[in-house]
Amino acid sequence: MRTQVGIVGAGPAGLMLSHLLHLAGIDSVVIENRSRKYVEERVRAGVLEQGTVELMVETGVGARLEQIGLVHHGIELRFNGHGHRIDFADLTGGKGITIYAQHEVVRDLTDARLAAGGQVIFEVDDVIVRDFDGPKPFIRYHTDSAAQQIECDFIAGCDGFHGICRPTIPAGVLTAFERVYPFAWLGILAEVAPSSDELIYANHERGFALHSMRSPQLTRLYLQCAPDEQIEAWPDARIWEELHRRFATRDRWKLSEGTVVQKGITEMRSFVVEPMQCGNLFLAGDAAHIVPPTGAKGLNLAVADVRVLARAIVEFYRSGSRELLNRYSETCLRRVWKVQRFSWWMTSMLHRFDDNNAFDRHRQMAELDYVTSSRAAAQSLAENYVGLPMED
Ligand code: APR
Ligand code: PHB
């Protein structure tokens, strides 16, 4: 098989790249090792920055998003038994975020690619990428035990943190920067109307908690827990009890309980590799970087990367110039590091650290007090949360 761009991974990064390339008349093939059902049902993040929403709408994959996405113009920070609203609309000139599950984004993009005759091949095995240091890279894989090969001009490694593209790059090319946090998130999806119209980020002395949602009937909740926590140690009753404690306010705010339909543990990590490219192999999204989920940035960062990559590839086919391709990594990383900083900062401000001494605890409270009482500080949070400008 021959195509212009071979894409490994049908997550938000791989699918959006294939979609953007198609709109510019460039051919691609996406290969994915999981089934279509699996990727379309996998519960992940759910907050879209304004720029991500605009891109989906402008490129014709925003119909369901506009129909069922929940537009929010603020979040609440809760500490010391009181809630404080950060008003995004007021602080960013009318901007906001949209609650729309990542697996719905994946569904919309997959539908669009297949409807346009695009190739998204699911359930492939033994994927390898080769010869990307020269002009004729190729991808090999198996389907139903038959060997397949895709020859292409470029390979996009959109295969997530545990994918094969990044580890295939020869030793010495990449430098990794990493921070692993001493806690994880235990997340549940509950069949109950959200208890608040907006997201609530709570800093409690027992640990962080987050109230989010997926729809008017589905609440998404998270609790900070130990990194090696066993899910079996958390029967539903214990989860609700801990959530009630961490969200408690002086004016007796009430968290509604519902049937828990999904439960899981998310590890927390900050990770970046530099550069995000090697010859004709380009890494995008989680394959190149991971942020802790506190800032809700993972999906948005993946979309921002492929926007830069699509533009560079389009420019190459239009003019023959490799200038934008050569600068891909540098262009992405400027924004990636700012988003890393924000995600680390939100995480540091809101979680309980076991080695927190009394000084650290006071500093954390002062930080929250500052962010919720200074317009300049609140504006900094707001402009990062709704999404920094794309690197154009
Ligand atoms: N071959 C083919 N596909 C692979 C391989 C492989 N060897 N390894 C992994 N994949 C697939 C995964 O099954 C997954 O569907 O690559 C896809 C990567 O998708 P994501 O992990 O969703 O990563 P990305 O598209 O970069 O999106 C980033 O995902 O992890 C979340 O919260 C994160 O929202 C962020 C988003
Ligand atoms: C979610 O709804 O899953 C969610 C929301 C905000 C975050 C992280 C996750 O910061």
mmCIF file of all heavy atoms in Angstrom, residues 156-196:
data_model
loop_
_atom_site.group_PDB
_atom_site.id
_atom_site.type_symbol
_atom_site.label_atom_id
_atom_site.label_comp_id
_atom_site.label_asym_id
_atom_site.label_seq_id
_atom_site.Cartn_x
_atom_site.Cartn_y
_atom_site.Cartn_z
ATOM 1 N N ALA A 156 3.484 9.736 10.957
ATOM 2 C CA ALA A 156 3.088 10.496 12.151
ATOM 3 C C ALA A 156 2.899 9.506 13.291
ATOM 4 O O ALA A 156 2.075 8.595 13.210
ATOM 5 C CB ALA A 156 1.799 11.268 11.881
ATOM 6 N N GLY A 157 3.680 9.674 14.334
ATOM 7 C CA GLY A 157 3.573 8.822 15.525
ATOM 8 C C GLY A 157 2.548 9.435 16.468
ATOM 9 O O GLY A 157 2.864 10.316 17.257
ATOM 10 N N CYS A 158 1.300 8.965 16.339
ATOM 11 C CA CYS A 158 0.199 9.490 17.168
ATOM 12 C C CYS A 158 -0.299 8.356 18.051
ATOM 13 O O CYS A 158 -1.500 8.211 18.285
ATOM 14 C CB CYS A 158 -0.931 10.004 16.288
ATOM 15 S SG CYS A 158 -0.405 11.302 15.143
ATOM 16 N N ASP A 159 0.640 7.516 18.506
ATOM 17 C CA ASP A 159 0.252 6.271 19.174
ATOM 18 C C ASP A 159 0.331 6.342 20.698
ATOM 19 O O ASP A 159 0.470 5.318 21.368
ATOM 20 C CB ASP A 159 1.065 5.093 18.623
ATOM 21 C CG ASP A 159 2.570 5.337 18.577
ATOM 22 O OD1 ASP A 159 2.988 6.498 18.780
ATOM 23 O OD2 ASP A 159 3.325 4.388 18.339
ATOM 24 N N GLY A 160 0.203 7.546 21.238
ATOM 25 C CA GLY A 160 0.056 7.681 22.683
ATOM 26 C C GLY A 160 1.339 7.406 23.460
ATOM 27 O O GLY A 160 2.392 7.089 22.891
ATOM 28 N N PHE A 161 1.231 7.498 24.764
ATOM 29 C CA PHE A 161 2.411 7.393 25.621
ATOM 30 C C PHE A 161 3.067 6.014 25.551
ATOM 31 O O PHE A 161 4.282 5.889 25.643
ATOM 32 C CB PHE A 161 2.006 7.714 27.070
ATOM 33 C CG PHE A 161 3.160 7.776 28.007
ATOM 34 C CD1 PHE A 161 4.159 8.728 27.836
ATOM 35 C CD2 PHE A 161 3.267 6.886 29.058
ATOM 36 C CE1 PHE A 161 5.243 8.798 28.698
ATOM 37 C CE2 PHE A 161 4.353 6.943 29.929
ATOM 38 C CZ PHE A 161 5.342 7.898 29.742
ATOM 39 N N HIS A 162 2.238 4.948 25.399
ATOM 40 C CA HIS A 162 2.781 3.585 25.404
ATOM 41 C C HIS A 162 2.989 3.033 23.991
ATOM 42 O O HIS A 162 3.146 1.833 23.813
ATOM 43 C CB HIS A 162 1.858 2.662 26.198
ATOM 44 C CG HIS A 162 1.688 3.115 27.616
ATOM 45 N ND1 HIS A 162 2.682 2.968 28.562
ATOM 46 C CD2 HIS A 162 0.663 3.753 28.248
ATOM 47 C CE1 HIS A 162 2.271 3.486 29.713
ATOM 48 N NE2 HIS A 162 1.047 3.964 29.544
ATOM 49 N N GLY A 163 2.984 3.904 23.000
ATOM 50 C CA GLY A 163 3.104 3.461 21.613
ATOM 51 C C GLY A 163 4.516 3.031 21.243
ATOM 52 O O GLY A 163 5.429 3.027 22.079
ATOM 53 N N ILE A 164 4.689 2.683 19.959
ATOM 54 C CA ILE A 164 5.985 2.143 19.527
ATOM 55 C C ILE A 164 6.843 3.173 18.775
ATOM 56 O O ILE A 164 8.031 2.946 18.562
ATOM 57 C CB ILE A 164 5.814 0.890 18.620
ATOM 58 C CG1 ILE A 164 4.856 1.165 17.461
ATOM 59 C CG2 ILE A 164 5.320 -0.299 19.426
ATOM 60 C CD1 ILE A 164 5.488 1.536 16.193
ATOM 61 N N CYS A 165 6.244 4.272 18.343
ATOM 62 C CA CYS A 165 7.014 5.219 17.517
ATOM 63 C C CYS A 165 8.152 5.879 18.289
ATOM 64 O O CYS A 165 9.294 5.880 17.831
ATOM 65 C CB CYS A 165 6.084 6.269 16.916
ATOM 66 S SG CYS A 165 5.019 5.572 15.634
ATOM 67 N N ARG A 166 7.834 6.430 19.454
ATOM 68 C CA ARG A 166 8.887 7.114 20.228
ATOM 69 C C ARG A 166 10.040 6.169 20.559
ATOM 70 O O ARG A 166 11.207 6.507 20.328
ATOM 71 C CB ARG A 166 8.281 7.760 21.478
ATOM 72 C CG ARG A 166 9.262 8.672 22.202
ATOM 73 C CD ARG A 166 8.662 9.294 23.465
ATOM 74 N NE ARG A 166 8.437 8.316 24.501
ATOM 75 C CZ ARG A 166 7.252 7.900 24.934
ATOM 76 N NH1 ARG A 166 6.141 8.378 24.402
ATOM 77 N NH2 ARG A 166 7.156 7.005 25.881
ATOM 78 N N PRO A 167 9.764 4.950 21.062
ATOM 79 C CA PRO A 167 10.883 4.042 21.386
ATOM 80 C C PRO A 167 11.671 3.558 20.170
ATOM 81 O O PRO A 167 12.777 3.038 20.337
ATOM 82 C CB PRO A 167 10.187 2.841 22.062
ATOM 83 C CG PRO A 167 8.825 3.304 22.430
ATOM 84 C CD PRO A 167 8.470 4.418 21.511
ATOM 85 N N THR A 168 11.117 3.728 18.961
ATOM 86 C CA THR A 168 11.847 3.288 17.763
ATOM 87 C C THR A 168 12.932 4.291 17.357
ATOM 88 O O THR A 168 13.862 3.954 16.632
ATOM 89 C CB THR A 168 10.861 3.067 16.586
ATOM 90 O OG1 THR A 168 9.834 2.189 17.022
ATOM 91 C CG2 THR A 168 11.547 2.458 15.386
ATOM 92 N N ILE A 169 12.814 5.507 17.823
ATOM 93 C CA ILE A 169 13.808 6.538 17.478
ATOM 94 C C ILE A 169 15.145 6.163 18.132
ATOM 95 O O ILE A 169 15.182 5.824 19.313
ATOM 96 C CB ILE A 169 13.304 7.933 17.922
ATOM 97 C CG1 ILE A 169 12.041 8.292 17.099
ATOM 98 C CG2 ILE A 169 14.391 8.987 17.774
ATOM 99 C CD1 ILE A 169 11.370 9.581 17.487
ATOM 100 N N PRO A 170 16.242 6.181 17.351
ATOM 101 C CA PRO A 170 17.532 5.711 17.884
ATOM 102 C C PRO A 170 17.954 6.448 19.150
ATOM 103 O O PRO A 170 17.668 7.629 19.326
ATOM 104 C CB PRO A 170 18.510 6.008 16.743
ATOM 105 C CG PRO A 170 17.694 6.189 15.530
ATOM 106 C CD PRO A 170 16.337 6.630 15.954
ATOM 107 N N ALA A 171 18.632 5.707 20.003
ATOM 108 C CA ALA A 171 19.115 6.265 21.275
ATOM 109 C C ALA A 171 19.982 7.483 20.992
ATOM 110 O O ALA A 171 20.714 7.526 20.004
ATOM 111 C CB ALA A 171 19.925 5.209 22.015
ATOM 112 N N GLY A 172 19.861 8.467 21.836
ATOM 113 C CA GLY A 172 20.698 9.656 21.711
ATOM 114 C C GLY A 172 20.025 10.804 20.982
ATOM 115 O O GLY A 172 20.460 11.950 21.075
ATOM 116 N N VAL A 173 18.942 10.501 20.232
ATOM 117 C CA VAL A 173 18.265 11.574 19.478
ATOM 118 C C VAL A 173 17.356 12.382 20.403
ATOM 119 O O VAL A 173 17.318 13.611 20.342
ATOM 120 C CB VAL A 173 17.435 10.978 18.310
ATOM 121 C CG1 VAL A 173 16.619 12.065 17.613
ATOM 122 C CG2 VAL A 173 18.348 10.274 17.309
ATOM 123 N N LEU A 174 16.624 11.676 21.260
ATOM 124 C CA LEU A 174 15.631 12.352 22.104
ATOM 125 C C LEU A 174 16.154 12.556 23.528
ATOM 126 O O LEU A 174 16.869 11.724 24.063
ATOM 127 C CB LEU A 174 14.355 11.514 22.205
ATOM 128 C CG LEU A 174 13.661 11.116 20.905
ATOM 129 C CD1 LEU A 174 12.399 10.312 21.222
ATOM 130 C CD2 LEU A 174 13.297 12.354 20.080
ATOM 131 N N THR A 175 15.725 13.658 24.115
ATOM 132 C CA THR A 175 15.957 13.858 25.546
ATOM 133 C C THR A 175 14.582 13.888 26.203
ATOM 134 O O THR A 175 13.681 14.578 25.716
ATOM 135 C CB THR A 175 16.658 15.204 25.807
ATOM 136 O OG1 THR A 175 17.839 15.240 24.999
ATOM 137 C CG2 THR A 175 17.046 15.359 27.271
ATOM 138 N N ALA A 176 14.434 13.120 27.286
ATOM 139 C CA ALA A 176 13.143 13.091 27.984
ATOM 140 C C ALA A 176 13.226 13.910 29.268
ATOM 141 O O ALA A 176 14.246 13.895 29.957
ATOM 142 C CB ALA A 176 12.765 11.650 28.304
ATOM 143 N N PHE A 177 12.152 14.635 29.542
ATOM 144 C CA PHE A 177 12.039 15.426 30.775
ATOM 145 C C PHE A 177 10.808 14.918 31.494
ATOM 146 O O PHE A 177 9.740 14.828 30.891
ATOM 147 C CB PHE A 177 11.871 16.913 30.443
ATOM 148 C CG PHE A 177 13.004 17.454 29.613
ATOM 149 C CD1 PHE A 177 12.968 17.374 28.225
ATOM 150 C CD2 PHE A 177 14.107 18.021 30.227
ATOM 151 C CE1 PHE A 177 14.019 17.862 27.454
ATOM 152 C CE2 PHE A 177 15.163 18.515 29.464
ATOM 153 C CZ PHE A 177 15.123 18.426 28.081
ATOM 154 N N GLU A 178 10.934 14.592 32.757
ATOM 155 C CA GLU A 178 9.822 13.914 33.413
ATOM 156 C C GLU A 178 9.663 14.276 34.872
ATOM 157 O O GLU A 178 10.639 14.537 35.570
ATOM 158 C CB GLU A 178 10.058 12.406 33.301
ATOM 159 C CG GLU A 178 8.954 11.572 33.879
ATOM 160 C CD GLU A 178 9.041 10.121 33.462
ATOM 161 O OE1 GLU A 178 10.167 9.626 33.309
ATOM 162 O OE2 GLU A 178 7.985 9.494 33.296
ATOM 163 N N ARG A 179 8.410 14.292 35.316
ATOM 164 C CA ARG A 179 8.115 14.397 36.742
ATOM 165 C C ARG A 179 6.951 13.471 37.033
ATOM 166 O O ARG A 179 5.907 13.549 36.377
ATOM 167 C CB ARG A 179 7.735 15.837 37.068
ATOM 168 C CG ARG A 179 7.146 15.973 38.462
ATOM 169 C CD ARG A 179 7.128 17.400 38.901
ATOM 170 N NE ARG A 179 8.471 17.956 38.871
ATOM 171 C CZ ARG A 179 8.918 18.875 39.721
ATOM 172 N NH1 ARG A 179 8.132 19.330 40.660
ATOM 173 N NH2 ARG A 179 10.141 19.343 39.621
ATOM 174 N N VAL A 180 7.145 12.571 37.980
ATOM 175 C CA VAL A 180 6.057 11.671 38.365
ATOM 176 C C VAL A 180 5.559 12.153 39.724
ATOM 177 O O VAL A 180 6.358 12.477 40.598
ATOM 178 C CB VAL A 180 6.534 10.201 38.433
ATOM 179 C CG1 VAL A 180 5.398 9.285 38.864
ATOM 180 C CG2 VAL A 180 7.074 9.763 37.080
ATOM 181 N N TYR A 181 4.256 12.262 39.880
ATOM 182 C CA TYR A 181 3.691 12.803 41.120
ATOM 183 C C TYR A 181 3.419 11.685 42.116
ATOM 184 O O TYR A 181 3.101 10.565 41.708
ATOM 185 C CB TYR A 181 2.418 13.596 40.811
ATOM 186 C CG TYR A 181 2.706 14.767 39.897
ATOM 187 C CD1 TYR A 181 2.695 14.619 38.513
ATOM 188 C CD2 TYR A 181 3.047 16.003 40.425
ATOM 189 C CE1 TYR A 181 3.005 15.680 37.668
ATOM 190 C CE2 TYR A 181 3.364 17.074 39.594
ATOM 191 C CZ TYR A 181 3.343 16.902 38.212
ATOM 192 O OH TYR A 181 3.667 17.955 37.394
ATOM 193 N N PRO A 182 3.484 12.006 43.405
ATOM 194 C CA PRO A 182 3.310 10.958 44.417
ATOM 195 C C PRO A 182 1.842 10.672 44.738
ATOM 196 O O PRO A 182 1.484 10.427 45.875
ATOM 197 C CB PRO A 182 4.030 11.555 45.640
ATOM 198 C CG PRO A 182 3.885 13.031 45.477
ATOM 199 C CD PRO A 182 3.873 13.294 44.003
ATOM 200 N N PHE A 183 0.979 10.756 43.723
ATOM 201 C CA PHE A 183 -0.443 10.448 43.925
ATOM 202 C C PHE A 183 -1.073 10.120 42.572
ATOM 203 O O PHE A 183 -0.448 10.307 41.523
ATOM 204 C CB PHE A 183 -1.186 11.617 44.586
ATOM 205 C CG PHE A 183 -0.772 12.983 44.093
ATOM 206 C CD1 PHE A 183 -1.162 13.460 42.856
ATOM 207 C CD2 PHE A 183 0.047 13.800 44.885
ATOM 208 C CE1 PHE A 183 -0.775 14.716 42.411
ATOM 209 C CE2 PHE A 183 0.450 15.064 44.437
ATOM 210 C CZ PHE A 183 0.032 15.513 43.201
ATOM 211 N N ALA A 184 -2.317 9.620 42.618
ATOM 212 C CA ALA A 184 -3.072 9.316 41.396
ATOM 213 C C ALA A 184 -4.490 9.851 41.580
ATOM 214 O O ALA A 184 -4.799 10.412 42.642
ATOM 215 C CB ALA A 184 -3.095 7.807 41.191
ATOM 216 N N TRP A 185 -5.323 9.689 40.559
ATOM 217 C CA TRP A 185 -6.744 10.056 40.678
ATOM 218 C C TRP A 185 -7.583 8.797 40.558
ATOM 219 O O TRP A 185 -7.374 7.995 39.640
ATOM 220 C CB TRP A 185 -7.175 10.985 39.553
ATOM 221 C CG TRP A 185 -6.788 12.406 39.687
ATOM 222 C CD1 TRP A 185 -5.923 12.965 40.587
ATOM 223 C CD2 TRP A 185 -7.260 13.480 38.855
ATOM 224 N NE1 TRP A 185 -5.825 14.322 40.357
ATOM 225 C CE2 TRP A 185 -6.632 14.662 39.304
ATOM 226 C CE3 TRP A 185 -8.129 13.560 37.762
ATOM 227 C CZ2 TRP A 185 -6.864 15.903 38.706
ATOM 228 C CZ3 TRP A 185 -8.361 14.780 37.168
ATOM 229 C CH2 TRP A 185 -7.729 15.956 37.641
ATOM 230 N N LEU A 186 -8.539 8.681 41.461
ATOM 231 C CA LEU A 186 -9.535 7.621 41.327
ATOM 232 C C LEU A 186 -10.765 8.311 40.733
ATOM 233 O O LEU A 186 -11.286 9.263 41.331
ATOM 234 C CB LEU A 186 -9.838 7.065 42.721
ATOM 235 C CG LEU A 186 -10.614 5.755 42.799
ATOM 236 C CD1 LEU A 186 -10.497 5.203 44.203
ATOM 237 C CD2 LEU A 186 -12.073 5.915 42.455
ATOM 238 N N GLY A 187 -11.177 7.869 39.549
ATOM 239 C CA GLY A 187 -12.292 8.541 38.868
ATOM 240 C C GLY A 187 -13.518 7.657 38.793
ATOM 241 O O GLY A 187 -13.398 6.445 38.619
ATOM 242 N N ILE A 188 -14.685 8.260 38.936
ATOM 243 C CA ILE A 188 -15.924 7.497 38.721
ATOM 244 C C ILE A 188 -16.854 8.269 37.778
ATOM 245 O O ILE A 188 -16.773 9.493 37.658
ATOM 246 C CB ILE A 188 -16.706 7.206 40.038
ATOM 247 C CG1 ILE A 188 -17.114 8.501 40.745
ATOM 248 C CG2 ILE A 188 -15.919 6.295 40.953
ATOM 249 C CD1 ILE A 188 -18.181 8.292 41.835
ATOM 250 N N LEU A 189 -17.709 7.500 37.132
ATOM 251 C CA LEU A 189 -18.781 8.068 36.333
ATOM 252 C C LEU A 189 -20.056 7.616 37.034
ATOM 253 O O LEU A 189 -20.229 6.418 37.296
ATOM 254 C CB LEU A 189 -18.697 7.477 34.926
ATOM 255 C CG LEU A 189 -19.432 8.166 33.801
ATOM 256 C CD1 LEU A 189 -18.944 9.586 33.605
ATOM 257 C CD2 LEU A 189 -19.222 7.392 32.501
ATOM 258 N N ALA A 190 -20.926 8.560 37.395
ATOM 259 C CA ALA A 190 -22.124 8.205 38.160
ATOM 260 C C ALA A 190 -23.383 8.672 37.442
ATOM 261 O O ALA A 190 -23.418 9.780 36.880
ATOM 262 C CB ALA A 190 -22.055 8.830 39.551
ATOM 263 N N GLU A 191 -24.390 7.810 37.479
ATOM 264 C CA GLU A 191 -25.670 8.152 36.838
ATOM 265 C C GLU A 191 -26.485 9.047 37.762
ATOM 266 O O GLU A 191 -27.340 8.583 38.503
ATOM 267 C CB GLU A 191 -26.449 6.870 36.519
ATOM 268 C CG GLU A 191 -25.924 6.191 35.293
ATOM 269 C CD GLU A 191 -26.613 4.871 35.000
ATOM 270 O OE1 GLU A 191 -27.248 4.304 35.913
ATOM 271 O OE2 GLU A 191 -26.498 4.406 33.857
ATOM 272 N N VAL A 192 -26.172 10.316 37.687
ATOM 273 C CA VAL A 192 -26.870 11.300 38.511
ATOM 274 C C VAL A 192 -26.614 12.683 37.900
ATOM 275 O O VAL A 192 -25.551 12.918 37.318
ATOM 276 C CB VAL A 192 -26.390 11.236 39.992
ATOM 277 C CG1 VAL A 192 -24.898 11.487 40.117
ATOM 278 C CG2 VAL A 192 -27.177 12.185 40.871
ATOM 279 N N ALA A 193 -27.583 13.578 38.022
ATOM 280 C CA ALA A 193 -27.400 14.936 37.498
ATOM 281 C C ALA A 193 -26.260 15.599 38.266
ATOM 282 O O ALA A 193 -26.123 15.407 39.476
ATOM 283 C CB ALA A 193 -28.687 15.730 37.686
ATOM 284 N N PRO A 194 -25.402 16.375 37.557
ATOM 285 C CA PRO A 194 -24.315 17.077 38.243
ATOM 286 C C PRO A 194 -24.874 17.920 39.402
ATOM 287 O O PRO A 194 -25.981 18.442 39.315
ATOM 288 C CB PRO A 194 -23.725 17.963 37.152
ATOM 289 C CG PRO A 194 -24.098 17.294 35.866
ATOM 290 C CD PRO A 194 -25.405 16.620 36.099
ATOM 291 N N SER A 195 -24.088 18.035 40.460
ATOM 292 C CA SER A 195 -24.537 18.769 41.647
ATOM 293 C C SER A 195 -24.253 20.265 41.527
ATOM 294 O O SER A 195 -24.605 21.034 42.417
ATOM 295 C CB SER A 195 -23.823 18.233 42.890
ATOM 296 O OG SER A 195 -24.043 16.850 42.991
ATOM 297 N N SER A 196 -23.551 20.628 40.467
ATOM 298 C CA SER A 196 -23.239 22.038 40.233
ATOM 299 C C SER A 196 -23.247 22.236 38.724
ATOM 300 O O SER A 196 -23.017 21.288 37.971
ATOM 301 C CB SER A 196 -21.853 22.342 40.798
ATOM 302 O OG SER A 196 -21.325 23.508 40.213
#
